[in-house]
Amino acid sequence: RKFLEVAWGAMEDAGHPPESLDGPIGVYAGCGMGSYFYFNICSNKPLVDDVGMFLLRHTGNDKDFLSTRVSHVFDLKGPSVNIQTACSTSLVAVHYASKALREGECEMALAGGVTIELPQGRGYLFKENEILSPDGHCHAFDHRAQGTVFGSGAGAVALRRLEDALRDGDHIWAVIKGSAINNDGADKADYLAPSVEGQASAVRQALRAADTPPDTIDYVEC
């Protein structure tokens, strides 16, 4: 439900509701595990008995149907692809949405993701050798870094080919010059931590795709 809201918000902000474009609109997105479905719906036996597990799952409660739900509700006829790469899902969705635009598969593409933890603010129990921070804080690129803290949120962007956006007078928030994805296989520091070489390789690929020399970049945001 939240991703439907941000998907519509992205199209509205872009000034391109579905009926405004002649070509198809694609959706590339993913979401985290729906804890509400497992904790609140599956445990409601009268509801399961009345509606049936198939309909409960397939009509909006399973993460495998996130993108096609958006396409159905907004009558979008472009590719509708569910992406799932854990923490990198939204960025990988942007990568593949951009690729689809370059290859002419759609006129506009929605890309993004959503994860919402329920109940909100429940906290967690710290355990040694797990990914969660012992002090409840995330200190990225800092000597105090000890782990991460999960949050909830939803986000989507509306992407178009630059020449099309310029032609139509769209407001352009940013231009994606290039992107790249990879996997470092068994070279990770451990399963939940990427290797230095794997990260560096992805950066090199993205720079090549963008045709951007590294010495021209003076600001990096992570």
Side-chain angles (χ1 to χ4, degrees):
R1 290 191 294 272
K2 284 297 178 185
F3 191 74
L4 282 170
E5 290 181 27
V6 296
W8 175 256
M11 291 188 287
E12 190 174 54
D13 186 69
H16 288 296
E19 64 273 13
S20 71
L21 296 174
D22 293 331
I25 298 174
V27 183
Y28 294 80
C31 65
M33 185 181 76
S35 58
Y36 184 85
F37 176 57
Y38 294 102
F39 296 145
N40 296 71
I41 294 179
C42 293
S43 61
N44 187 335
K45 191 174 186 303
L47 178 65
V48 173
D49 291 341
D50 181 47
V51 179
M53 184 58 72
F54 181 87
L55 285 178
L56 285 173
R57 178 187 171 206
H58 288 73
T59 56
N61 288 299
D62 190 294
K63 64 182 182 179
D64 290 347
F65 305 97
L66 177 72
S67 60
T68 49
R69 185 71 170 172
V70 173
S71 298
H72 175 73
V73 169
F74 298 129
D75 193 27
L76 308 181
K77 304 294 175 61
S80 191
V81 182
N82 225 59
I83 304 287
Q84 187 53 257
T85 62
C87 298
S88 60
T89 293
S90 295
L91 286 174
V92 173
V94 169
H95 172 80
Y96 280 110
S98 300
K99 189 171 185 287
L101 286 165
R102 289 195 303 272
E103 295 178 355
E105 294 183 354
C106 48
E107 185 75 11
M108 184 169 80
L110 297 173
V114 56
T115 290
I116 297 176
E117 288 286 329
L118 291 172
Q120 293 283 306
R122 63 181 174 181
Y124 60 87
L125 180 65
F126 170 73
K127 294 182 180 179
E128 289 287 346
N129 301 318
E130 289 195 357
I131 195 173
L132 294 168
S133 170
D135 61 3
H137 295 281
C138 184
H139 302 285
F141 308 112
D142 190 284
H143 71 282
R144 296 169 295 171
Q146 300 179 82
T148 192
V149 177
F150 291 123
S152 296
V157 290
L159 304 175
R160 300 193 73 201
R161 289 179 290 271
L162 181 59
E163 60 267 27
D164 294 343
L166 291 171
R167 181 197 65 215
D168 293 347
D170 294 351
H171 179 89
I172 300 171
W173 291 101
V175 176
I176 299 172
K177 297 192 70 174
S179 63
I181 62 172
N182 71 354
N183 193 286
D184 41 19
D187 291 335
K188 295 176 172 67
D190 63 48
Y191 185 66
L192 297 176
S195 69
V196 173
E197 181 50 41
Q199 293 264 313
S201 176
V203 171
R204 286 193 296 269
Q205 292 175 54
L207 289 170
R208 283 196 296 269
D211 194 22
T212 300
D215 58 3
T216 65
I217 298 173
D218 55 17
Y219 180 78
V220 177
E221 184 173 347
C222 298

